[in-house]
Amino acid sequence: MMITSSSLKPGSAITGYGVARVLDSGDPNFREGELIWGTTGWEEYSLITTSSIRFKIQHTDVPLSNYTGIFGMPGITAYARFYEICSPKKGEHVSVSAASGAVGQLVGQFAKLMGCYVVGSVGSKEKVDLLKNKHGFNEAFNYKEEHELDAALKRCFPEGIDIYFDNVDGKMLDAILNMRTRGRIAACGMVSQYNLEQPESIKNLINIISKQVCIQGFVSHEQYHLYPQMLDTLLPYIREGKLVYVEDIAEGLERSPAALVGLFSGHNVGKQVAAVAHE
Amino acid sequence: MMITSSSLKPGSAITGYGVARVLDSGDPNFREGELIWGTTGWEEYSLITTSSIRFKIQHTDVPLSNYTGIFGMPGITAYARFYEICSPKKGEHVSVSAASGAVGQLVGQFAKLMGCYVVGSVGSKEKVDLLKNKHGFNEAFNYKEEHELDAALKRCFPEGIDIYFDNVDGKMLDAILNMRTRGRIAACGMVSQYNLEQPESIKNLINIISKQVCIQGFVSHEQYHLYPQMLDTLLPYIREGKLVYVEDIAEGLERSPAALVGLFSGHNVGKQVAAVAHE
C-alpha cells in the first residue's frame, strides 16, 4: 500500500489520498486483489470504508504512485479547475505558482499543450531548471532570489498576465493582481500562508474592478464526474511522453512525517509521495 | 438638456451621461426634435458626435431624468451585472453597499423581486429609512454608526451572505469576505477608496479558497446589447410601481460642481442628477 501526504492537516487524523490493494472485502463491489485509490491511512494495513474509495485502478502500465498525483486528486484538481476557471485560450500568458508541485506542474503543462506562454514561480534553482528543461515552461523564476516580485513579473511577462493559477496566496497574488484586462485567477492554494498567525494583507484587490478580473476560489473535491474524461485525455499524454509528471517519493513510513513537514518549506521537488509499501 | 455627474473624474473633460434633445443634426439617423441619451457636456448646448449617443429615447411617459439612471448607464449596469455575475436564487441572502445610490437601489430591488433577503448598507439614517420604507429592503444599516462591521453583518445576516454587490470596496468588502460557501461578489465600485492615497488593505481574501467564493470585477460599459430587454422588463415595473427609483436632482449648472463633490461624501440621496435645463 502507498499513501501520500497531501490533504493532511497537522492535528487531524493521519489519513491522506493513497493507493491500496484490497486484501479482504465485505463489499461485493470490491474484490480481493483489486487496486483502489482514495482516502487511506498512514499505515501498512488499513481498514477502510467504501465511502473512502474514489476509484478502482484499471490501468497499471503507469506507476501506481501516479494515482496519488496526476491520476489522483491533484490531477483532477488541475484538469477540472484550470480549464473551467481559467478558460485558457491559445497565446495567452499564464502564471503558475508553486509550479513544480503536485498541481502546478500539471497546470503549466496543460497551458503549454494549449499553446499558451507559461511562466512558473518556484523556490529553488533546481525547480527552475526542472520547469524549463523537463516540463517545457517558457520561463521560470526563483521567488526567493527576487528582491521585487513586481520586477520579476515584468521581466517574465513584458506583455502582462492573462491567467494566474494561484497555489500560494500572499505577496505573489498581490503582485499579480496588476494583470491584464479580463484576467482570470484560480485561487487554489495558500501554502505561503499556512504557518502565519495572520494572513498577509492584499493591497491591489481594487485593480480587479477597472481590469474586470475574475477570482474564483475553490477546493479540490467535487469534480470527480470528470475523472473518466481526464483519464482518457491524460493517459495517452503520459504514455507518449507529452506530459511529464515528477514525484518526490519518501521511502518508508518513518520518513513520511519529515516529508510532510518539508512541504511547508518547499523541500519536495514534484509531487510529494510517501511510499509505505511496495508490491 | 440634462446632464448627470456619473462617470466623471476630477481633472478630465467635463462630460457625463446625459439626456438631450437634438436641435440640429448632420447625421440622417438623428432628426431635429428627437431625444437621445449618451455622453453629453456640462453645458446647455452641446456639439456631440454620433458615437457619443447611446440610444434614442422612445418612452416619454417616465421622467426624462430616468434616462440618466434606471433607464441609463446605472440601470444597465445593475440589470446586466447583478443577474450575470451574482446568479441570484430565490431565498438567497444579498448584501448591497452604497445601497441607496444609482446602482445599489436597483440591485436591492431586483433581488427583492427575485425573492431574496436583502440588506443594504448606507451612510445616514435618512438612507436607512429610504431603503426600508421606500425600496422594500428587509434590513438596512448606517455603517458610520457601527463600531464593528463584522457585528453589524452578523446582526443583519445571522445565516451569512450568499451575494455581495460591492459599490464601495475597502473595509466593507473585507468584512463580507467571511461569507457563505459558494458566495459571489460583484465588484462594481470603490467609492470608499477614491480619495485615499493608498487603497485599504484586504485581510480576508484568503477565505475565498475554502469558501469557494467568486469575485468578478467589472466596469459599467459593454452590456448595451441587453438594453432593449432591460427596457421591456423595467418599464412596466416602474409604471406599475413595483420598482421605485429615487433621484437627487441638483437644479442648475451652477449647483452641479457641488453635487459632484458631494458624491464622494455621500451627500446625495438616490441617483445624483444635475438638471441644466428643462423642457
Side-chain angles (χ1 to χ4, degrees):
Chain A
M1 207 190 82
M2 182 173 284
I3 66 167
T4 171
S5 57
S6 281
S7 82
L8 282 173
K9 288 180 193 155
S12 67
I14 306 295
T15 58
Y17 282 107
V19 172
R21 186 180 292 282
V22 179
L23 295 181
D24 194 9
S25 170
D27 182 328
N29 293 312
F30 297 95
R31 289 188 305 256
E32 191 186 321
E34 287 182 328
L35 288 161
I36 61 96
W37 72 268
T39 304
T40 59
W42 285 51
E43 54 202 2
E44 290 182 284
Y45 297 90
S46 287
L47 184 66
I48 58 178
T49 57
T50 307
S51 63
S52 302
I53 297 172
R54 288 286 179 206
F55 292 96
K56 286 189 197 180
I57 293 173
Q58 313 284 358
H59 306 278
T60 54
D61 60 321
V62 295
L64 285 179
S65 56
N66 279 184
Y67 290 91
T68 69
I70 181 169
F71 302 127
M73 181 276 283
I76 192 69
T77 299
Y79 181 83
R81 304 304 194 171
F82 175 60
Y83 295 110
E84 170 199 58
I85 296 173
C86 300
S87 306
K89 288 182 279 294
K90 187 178 174 180
E92 285 196 317
H93 300 73
V94 177
S95 174
V96 187
S97 57
S100 68
V103 173
Q105 59 176 304
L106 286 174
V107 169
Q109 291 180 91
F110 294 163
K112 282 302 298 176
L113 286 167
M114 284 212 66
C116 296
Y117 170 85
V118 183
V119 179
S121 59
V122 285
S124 74
K125 183 176 181 310
E126 180 186 7
K127 294 177 185 176
V128 167
D129 293 341
L130 187 73
L131 294 186
K132 291 167 75 169
N133 302 327
K134 198 148 187 171
H135 293 312
F137 283 45
N138 296 83
E139 198 49 78
F141 65 91
N142 177 356
Y143 71 89
K144 291 178 182 170
E145 291 193 346
E146 301 289 344
H147 293 293
E148 289 284 342
L149 276 181
D150 289 340
L153 292 169
K154 190 80 188 160
R155 185 180 75 238
C156 293
F157 290 102
E159 297 175 56
I161 297 169
D162 298 293
I163 290 170
Y164 175 43
F165 200 97
D166 181 22
N167 292 304
V168 299
D169 205 86
K171 289 189 184 74
M172 186 69 76
L173 173 59
D174 208 18
I176 289 184
L177 280 166
N178 289 312
M179 67 197 307
R180 285 165 69 137
T181 299
R182 288 184 207 79
R184 287 136 272 156
I185 297 177
C188 170
M190 42 184 172
V191 73
S192 75
Q193 307 295 298
Y194 281 127
N195 293 326
L196 302 179
E197 286 199 14
Q198 287 259 323
E200 290 172 313
S201 290
I202 301 290
K203 298 185 184 69
N204 295 318
L205 189 64
I206 203 165
N207 290 355
I208 69 168
I209 298 176
S210 59
K211 296 293 188 68
Q212 304 173 59
V213 167
C214 181
I215 310 178
Q216 172 73 61
F218 65 94
V219 290
S220 57
H221 53 75
E222 297 184 350
Q223 297 297 306
Y224 288 107
H225 61 286
L226 295 173
Y227 187 73
Q229 172 191 328
M230 182 200 87
L231 272 189
D232 287 348
T233 307
L234 301 191
L235 273 167
Y237 282 147
I238 283 284
R239 287 172 180 145
E240 295 161 20
K242 289 183 181 165
L243 266 181
V244 175
Y245 196 69
V246 174
E247 296 168 344
D248 189 337
I249 299 183
E251 288 292 343
L253 189 54
E254 65 282 5
R255 289 204 177 88
S256 303
L260 171 62
V261 173
L263 279 175
F264 297 98
S265 47
H267 280 183
N268 57 310
V269 178
K271 162 64 181 172
Q272 180 70 63
V273 181
V276 176
H278 288 272
E279 291 266 295
Chain B
M1 208 191 81
M2 182 174 283
I3 67 167
T4 170
S5 57
S6 280
S7 84
L8 281 173
K9 288 180 194 157
S12 66
I14 306 295
T15 57
Y17 282 107
V19 171
R21 187 178 291 282
V22 179
L23 295 181
D24 194 10
S25 170
D27 183 327
N29 293 312
F30 297 94
R31 288 188 305 258
E32 191 185 320
E34 288 183 328
L35 288 160
I36 60 97
W37 73 269
T39 305
T40 58
W42 284 50
E43 53 202 3
E44 290 181 284
Y45 298 91
S46 288
L47 184 65
I48 58 177
T49 56
T50 307
S51 63
S52 302
I53 298 172
R54 287 283 180 210
F55 291 96
K56 286 188 198 183
I57 292 173
Q58 313 283 1
H59 306 278
T60 55
D61 60 321
V62 294
L64 286 180
S65 56
N66 280 183
Y67 290 91
T68 69
I70 182 170
F71 302 127
M73 182 275 283
I76 191 69
T77 299
Y79 181 83
R81 302 306 193 169
F82 175 61
Y83 296 109
E84 169 199 58
I85 295 173
C86 300
S87 305
K89 289 181 279 295
K90 186 178 173 179
E92 285 195 317
H93 301 73
V94 178
S95 173
V96 186
S97 56
S100 68
V103 173
Q105 58 175 303
L106 287 174
V107 169
Q109 291 179 91
F110 293 162
K112 283 302 299 176
L113 286 166
M114 283 212 68
C116 296
Y117 170 86
V118 183
V119 178
S121 58
V122 285
S124 74
K125 184 179 180 310
E126 180 185 8
K127 294 177 185 177
V128 167
D129 293 342
L130 187 74
L131 292 187
K132 290 166 75 169
N133 302 327
K134 198 148 188 169
H135 293 312
F137 283 46
N138 295 85
E139 198 48 77
F141 67 91
N142 176 358
Y143 70 88
K144 291 178 183 169
E145 291 192 346
E146 302 289 344
H147 292 293
E148 289 284 342
L149 277 181
D150 288 340
L153 293 169
K154 189 78 189 162
R155 185 180 75 237
C156 293
F157 291 102
E159 297 175 56
I161 297 169
D162 298 293
I163 290 170
Y164 175 44
F165 200 97
D166 180 23
N167 292 304
V168 300
D169 205 86
K171 290 189 184 74
M172 185 69 77
L173 173 59
D174 209 16
I176 290 183
L177 280 167
N178 289 313
M179 67 197 306
R180 284 164 71 135
T181 299
R182 287 182 208 82
R184 288 136 271 154
I185 297 177
C188 170
M190 44 185 170
V191 74
S192 74
Q193 306 295 299
Y194 281 127
N195 294 325
L196 302 179
E197 286 199 16
Q198 287 258 324
E200 289 172 313
S201 289
I202 301 290
K203 297 185 185 71
N204 295 319
L205 189 63
I206 202 164
N207 290 354
I208 68 168
I209 298 176
S210 59
K211 298 293 189 66
Q212 303 172 61
V213 167
C214 182
I215 310 177
Q216 173 72 63
F218 65 94
V219 291
S220 57
H221 54 74
E222 299 184 348
Q223 296 298 308
Y224 288 108
H225 62 286
L226 295 172
Y227 187 72
Q229 172 190 326
M230 182 200 87
L231 271 189
D232 288 348
T233 307
L234 301 191
L235 272 166
Y237 282 146
I238 282 285
R239 287 172 181 146
E240 295 161 19
K242 289 183 182 167
L243 266 182
V244 175
Y245 196 69
V246 174
E247 295 169 345
D248 189 338
I249 299 183
E251 287 291 344
L253 189 53
E254 66 283 6
R255 290 203 178 89
S256 303
L260 171 61
V261 172
L263 280 176
F264 297 98
S265 49
H267 280 184
N268 56 310
V269 178
K271 162 66 181 169
Q272 180 69 62
V273 181
V276 176
H278 287 272
E279 290 268 293

